[in-house]
Structure formats: C-alpha cells, structure tokens
Amino acid sequence: MKQLVDLQQMFQAYLLEQSSLFETKIQQKNLQDAQERLAIYSNAYVLRLIESLSKDFPGVLSLLGDDDFEEVARQYVQHYPSRFRSIRWFGQGFSTFLMQHEWYVEVPVVGEMAQFEWLLAELFDAADSCTIMTLDDLTAIPAGNWATMTFAFIAAWRQIDLRWNTVDLWRVHEEENSLEPTPLENTAVYLMWRHEYQIQFRPMSLIEQQAFEHCVNGGDMASLCELLCQWFKEEEVPIQAINFLKTWIQQGLILR
Amino acid sequence: MNKTKNFPYLGFGLGLRPEHYQAIITTQPQVDWFEIITENYMIPGGKPLYYLDKIRENYPMVMHGVSLSLGSTDPLDQQYLAEFKQLIQRVQPAWVSDHLCWTGVDGYNVHDLLPLPYTMEVVRHVVSRIQQIQDYLGRQILIENVSSYLTYQDSDMSEWDFLNEIAQQADCFILLDINNIYVSGMNHQFDPLTYLNQIAVNRVKQFHLAGHSYLDHYIVDTHDQDVIPPVWELYAQACQRFGRISTMIERDDNIPPLEDLVTELQEARRISRMMELETAL
C-alpha cells in the first residue's frame, strides 16, 4: 500500500502546494501533455473552493469586487486547505483570515461582513427546535412558579458586535447603487436567529443584551428582575422583564 | 451482513437541487424519483432537511455521496459513516452510492473525485473498504465510475476491468455514468462502447446522464450543460446491453428551470422505451 500512499500524497501536494514531483507519475505524450492534464485538476480545485466562498460571502465579494475577492480567496485556499467532508464548511475561517490579513486589517468592515455572513450560513442549517413557547404557554404557568422560572433557548441564534454599517451594506449588496462603508458611532450588538426557516436579525439595546445573556445562562425571573433594578425603578422592573420575555417568545427564541 | 438484494427499478429521476425545491412541491412534476447529494443533508437542521422530508413524502429517493473517499489511504471516517447511517434511516433510500475515487489524504479533502491507479493491489484495498462500509451499513452500495483526465504510470489494467473486479470481489453494484465513460473515452482515446460492453451486466443498477464542457484538448465533466447527442447514443447502447435500469440526469451548475430538466428526462424515457421495443422485436 506504500506505493498508493506515496502517490496520493504526491498528487495532493501537487494540488495544495503546486509540487511538480507528481508529473512523472502519470502517463504522458510529453511534458506539455502532462501539465495540461494536471492543470485540469489544479484549476478545478482552486476554482471550486473560490466559488464556494463567493456563494457564502456575497457581501464580501460586493465590497472587494471580483478581482480582489478572487485574489484573497485564492490566498485563503492556499493557506487553509479544507479538512471538511463537505465544502459547505470551507469558509469557516474566512472572517478570521480577513480580519488578520495585511490588506484588510485597516479595513475591518471586510472581516466584519465575512463574520456576519458566516453566521447567516450557520443559522441556515442550524438545528431545528420543534417546541417553541407561545404567549399562551407563558400565561398558563402558575403565578407561584414565575420567580423560579428559567428558559431554554433555541439552538439557532447567534450574536454579533458590529462597528460598521455592515447590515445596511449587506442588504444592498445585490443592488447597483451600493452604500459607502461607514463606521458606526457606537458598537451595535445584533441578535441573529432563525424562525420558521427564515433568518432574522435586529439590534439589541445594552439592557436587553444583559437580560438576554442572563437568561441564556440559566438565570431565573427573580434574578433577572434583580439585574434590571440597576436600570429601572423597582415598580417598573417586573413589567420590563415581562416585556423582554414576551418579545423573545413572539420572535420564536424560547423553547416550551 | 444482512444484505439488501432488492434494488427496485425506479424509472427516470433527477438530482434534487435547492433551486427546484419549491417547484417540486408546488407542481409535483413527472419525475419518478430523486437522487440527493448525501453530504448536503448531513447537517443539523434548517430548510434543506425540511424540503428533503416534504419531497420524500411523494417521491422515492436514492442517496449519492461525494466524500466517502473509497480509495483513500486514510482510515475510513467513522464519524462520517455514523452520520451517513443516520441519514439513511431518515431518508429510507432505495439505495446509496458513492464514487470509485479518492478525495484526499492526511485528513484533507480536496473536494474532487480523483482517479485511482488501476492495479490489483488497489482493487484489494478498495474492496476491503467497501466490505467494511457494507458491513457497517448492513446493505450493498453502488460505486460510480468517475471522469478522469490522467492515467497513472502504475496502472496495469483497464478502467472497466478495475471497476468489474471491485464490484465482483466486494459484491457491490455499479452506478454507471454514461457521460463519464464518454468524457474519459475522449480524454484517453478509447472507444466508449468498448468500456460499456465490458461491464458486467448483472452489476449495474443505475445510470447517470449529464452534460460536459470542452477545455482545450480535453473534455471536462462539468454537469452544467444539456446531455449531448453522442452521450444519448451511448445511453441507447447501454439500454440495449443492460435492459431497464433506473436512470437520472445530474445537473450541478448553470441549473435550468425544473421543467427544462423534466423535458430532457423525456428523451431518456423515449430512448429507453425505443430500445426496449427493439430488443423485444
């Protein structure tokens, strides 16, 4: 089997590192014939992966333009060969790669867009949640149980900090009159989730973020109310807590 | 192994593609069955699985993988096999298939269907892996001939002998891709009919049809065009040799509206019927 092991490693090295050792391993009329035949594989290898990235990151493609996108995608292919069984996951490290890339480290909107788009991809096929809580379920809970009530959230939610008008840019990325990338005055925290197979996203206030994080980490209603006391008068706290809860339930974020 | 000897004749099918999900549900097209790309549904949830289940309610399905890497020298991916088996339980396919190729070594996946050297040593290697897979799944699989653009110095037998030998020794079946025979024939200067006529009749359970593209001196299996007349002619010859075999058209790029593929499938029906009549006479 050693012969096959060596052969496969050489072929793969040709694709991944352009090693020319493999050329002698194939039948050929002449060197040009061998190179043409091998080029079919090496070109297809790179182009297939670049195409996969362009499908997962259309907003990044729109920001960079075709040529720059292809160049940076080619570099990503070279530096991070796939170890995934499905090409669907190949772009997993693309946002980090862009954030650290010498061309884009000073243009963080590019990496931020990639991060946003990868979360969209993750939500697209994240696990389903069959038993979503309704407001009727909530009202059916005996009042005596409310204080100790905790919540389980769906699997298909993510959170992202945005420092640029990334969401607006993404919304118009297919249009001809594109927006200029602009930094936001303050960092916006977006909640992203999938409800009934549709991906949703919206900004969250600082208070909602804290409340959401608290509940996601298993905090009960009583401790949520204590948390909210730092922003609201005592008599307003229960209604604020309920309002958050109602919003999350109506948006399909909490399990029954 | 508790083998599933029953491979029903399914008729004429198409590859299930996301672009057609809604049209399939709305129009219930005259397609006898669908073939899914296995890896596209080895995911936690979301729309693809929703549509998969909805469409499965009304159509038979088969599963066709691209990452089993039957010929790789890496160990078989046990995690992959476990998820594969889970998906089989969900889909209840008529059969499952993958390619007679390798897709990477040392943990990498180049996401391509790379050819193997045609030697008896490689036959033994692939047979052993197919047997392990069949034992694990409790069912026989189909293996598909791939298009190729190179021949290894090490190869000392023909591709058709290699394919037959593996199918025979592993006791698996063959998914014969008619377009791939044509493409490889053009790229390696052999007569596609020679290939076709050497394949063991009792091993073939499915045909693939597809289009391809021309690149300089070679033909590339791109699945982005209609099936061309010489491939239809080869298909007719295949129908004559192998009889009624479940047939499907693969389209993976430049995907046309569903009705165009349904129309193209009619040509396969017409040819198959014509060859059946000819044989009967």
Side-chain angles (χ1 to χ4, degrees):
Chain A
M1 238 0 22
K2 171 95 170 57
Q3 211 172 342
L4 184 60
V5 172
D6 290 347
L7 187 77
Q8 292 186 338
Q9 285 176 337
M10 286 169 85
F11 195 169
Q12 186 168 277
Y14 168 78
L15 296 175
L16 269 50
E17 301 150 24
Q18 294 79 50
S19 158
S20 60
L21 288 175
F22 182 60
E23 284 172 8
T24 60
K25 294 290 179 187
I26 68 168
Q27 294 179 19
Q28 50 190 288
K29 284 185 242 159
N30 50 51
L31 185 60
Q32 188 192 347
D33 176 57
Q35 287 171 341
E36 276 186 26
R37 287 175 182 275
L38 284 172
I40 297 173
Y41 287 101
S42 59
N43 290 336
Y45 167 68
V46 174
L47 292 177
R48 184 178 296 113
L49 292 172
I50 292 176
E51 186 188 6
S52 160
L53 292 174
S54 69
K55 283 181 181 167
D56 281 341
F57 301 97
V60 176
L61 175 61
S62 170
L63 280 175
L64 300 186
D66 291 346
D67 293 346
D68 283 358
F69 183 86
E70 183 178 329
E71 178 53 36
V72 79
R74 201 174 278 276
Q75 291 175 22
Y76 179 72
V77 170
Q78 193 176 359
H79 287 97
Y80 296 94
S82 174
R83 287 182 173 276
F84 303 100
R85 64 173 174 232
S86 168
I87 203 167
R88 178 253 175 274
W89 302 102
F90 177 62
Q92 194 175 63
F94 196 48
S95 64
T96 306
F97 176 74
L98 290 172
M99 283 172 185
Q100 294 167 356
H101 195 286
E102 57 178 338
W103 298 352
Y104 304 114
V105 75
E106 300 295 329
V107 197
V109 65
V110 175
E112 189 172 287
M113 177 66 83
Q115 196 181 14
F116 178 72
E117 293 192 301
W118 188 251
L119 293 184
L120 293 176
E122 281 189 350
L123 290 172
F124 176 74
D125 52 18
D128 299 322
S129 303
C130 300
T131 51
I132 302 295
M133 184 182 268
T134 64
L135 289 178
D136 286 344
D137 295 329
L138 184 68
T139 50
I141 294 169
N145 294 354
W146 274 61
T148 55
M149 188 165 60
T150 58
F151 308 97
F153 285 75
I154 61 172
W157 72 268
R158 302 287 186 275
Q159 196 174 303
I160 183 171
D161 293 359
L162 297 174
R163 295 173 179 81
W164 293 73
N165 58 337
T166 301
V167 169
D168 293 337
L169 290 168
W170 185 82
R171 284 199 171 106
V172 301
H173 76 266
E174 285 180 347
E175 296 172 14
E176 279 185 20
N177 299 323
S178 56
L179 293 172
E180 281 298 311
T182 312
L184 301 176
E185 279 183 27
N186 299 302
T187 299
V189 176
Y190 267 72
L191 179 65
M192 306 171 70
W193 74 102
R194 195 185 74 223
H195 179 53
E196 293 177 349
Y197 304 114
Q198 296 300 322
I199 296 173
Q200 323 273 336
F201 42 85
R202 64 171 175 82
M204 285 198 293
S205 69
L206 178 71
I207 300 172
E208 186 186 1
Q209 286 165 48
Q210 305 267 341
F212 189 77
E213 188 182 340
H214 179 86
C215 291
V216 162
N217 290 330
D220 62 16
M221 276 298 273
S223 57
L224 175 64
C225 290
E226 280 172 29
L227 178 78
L228 294 177
C229 280
Q230 56 187 302
W231 296 291
F232 300 103
K233 292 178 191 161
E234 200 176 327
E235 62 272 25
E236 294 173 354
V237 160
I239 192 73
Q240 289 296 339
I242 293 295
N243 282 344
F244 282 138
L245 202 53
K246 276 184 175 174
T247 302
W248 302 334
I249 289 170
Q250 285 170 329
Q251 294 183 335
L253 286 156
I254 297 182
L255 298 173
R256 188 179 293 160
Chain B
M1 178 180 56
N2 176 23
K3 288 177 182 171
T4 308
K5 285 282 185 191
N6 182 23
F7 284 77
Y9 171 69
L10 295 181
F12 298 86
L14 289 176
L16 181 63
R17 303 294 178 259
E19 290 82 348
H20 299 146
Y21 285 156
Q22 198 53 56
I24 293 166
I25 288 170
T26 311
T27 66
Q28 298 284 309
Q30 288 293 308
V31 175
D32 299 329
W33 55 283
F34 285 99
E35 180 187 84
I36 65 166
I37 303 290
T38 303
E39 291 76 7
N40 290 357
Y41 301 92
M42 289 166 75
I43 50 176
K47 258 185 192 172
L49 288 173
Y50 166 78
Y51 281 112
L52 175 75
D53 292 343
K54 287 292 274 190
I55 294 167
R56 180 66 184 89
E57 286 171 10
N58 295 312
Y59 292 93
M61 279 184 185
V62 306
M63 287 167 55
H64 184 51
V66 294
S67 293
L68 202 45
S69 204
L70 287 173
S72 174
T73 48
D74 274 3
L76 285 169
D77 182 342
Q78 297 301 326
Q79 179 65 26
Y80 176 95
L81 286 174
E83 290 179 37
F84 183 27
K85 198 170 184 176
Q86 272 181 5
L87 188 62
I88 288 172
Q89 279 161 2
R90 180 176 191 139
V91 176
Q92 295 292 311
W95 57 78
V96 301
S97 64
D98 207 302
H99 300 82
L100 181 52
C101 72
W102 62 287
T103 63
V105 282
D106 299 332
Y108 292 106
N109 188 346
V110 301
H111 301 290
D112 200 351
L113 309 170
L114 304 175
L116 288 159
Y118 308 139
T119 68
M120 285 309 291
E121 190 191 14
V122 178
V123 166
R124 284 190 290 276
H125 171 66
V126 177
V127 164
S128 152
R129 288 164 69 90
I130 293 175
Q131 286 170 336
Q132 289 174 59
I133 292 164
Q134 293 188 144
D135 284 347
Y136 178 76
L137 298 178
R139 63 195 300 156
Q140 289 166 290
I141 66 169
L142 273 61
I143 54 172
E144 181 186 355
N145 56 304
V146 295
S147 290
S148 68
Y149 315 103
L150 58 77
T151 306
Y152 299 99
Q153 295 279 9
D154 293 346
S155 289
D156 56 16
M157 60 199 292
S158 66
E159 185 185 335
W160 46 89
D161 285 343
F162 181 72
L163 178 57
N164 277 333
E165 198 64 44
I166 289 173
Q168 173 68 29
Q169 287 192 27
D171 195 14
C172 67
F173 291 100
I174 295 173
L175 190 181
L176 199 59
D177 191 311
I178 306 297
N179 178 62
N180 287 351
I181 293 177
Y182 179 83
V183 168
S184 293
M186 296 300 109
N187 290 334
H188 302 301
Q189 284 92 47
F190 65 74
D191 181 354
L193 260 183
T194 305
Y195 191 128
L196 204 64
N197 289 331
Q198 294 299 319
I199 295 297
V201 170
N202 62 342
R203 290 282 164 191
V204 176
K205 296 295 180 192
Q206 185 187 342
F207 289 147
H208 266 174
L209 292 164
H212 54 249
S213 301
Y214 288 83
L215 183 74
D216 299 328
H217 306 106
Y218 304 99
I219 304 182
V220 182
D221 180 33
T222 46
H223 294 187
D224 61 351
Q225 304 291 327
D226 292 349
V227 179
I228 63 164
V231 173
W232 284 124
E233 285 164 26
L234 196 59
Y235 173 61
Q237 299 289 334
C239 290
Q240 197 167 44
R241 176 171 169 76
F242 298 97
R244 296 175 95 205
I245 298 290
S246 305
T247 298
M248 61 84 67
I249 295 178
E250 281 186 301
R251 190 67 174 251
D252 293 311
D253 214 343
N254 188 26
I255 293 179
L258 180 64
E259 54 267 33
D260 292 6
L261 289 177
V262 173
T263 303
E264 197 179 20
L265 201 56
Q266 292 301 336
E267 181 62 5
R269 288 183 203 273
R270 189 190 67 76
I271 291 170
S272 171
R273 200 175 309 121
M274 192 177 70
M275 297 318 290
E276 261 185 61
L277 286 172
E278 267 190 30
T279 309
L281 292 172

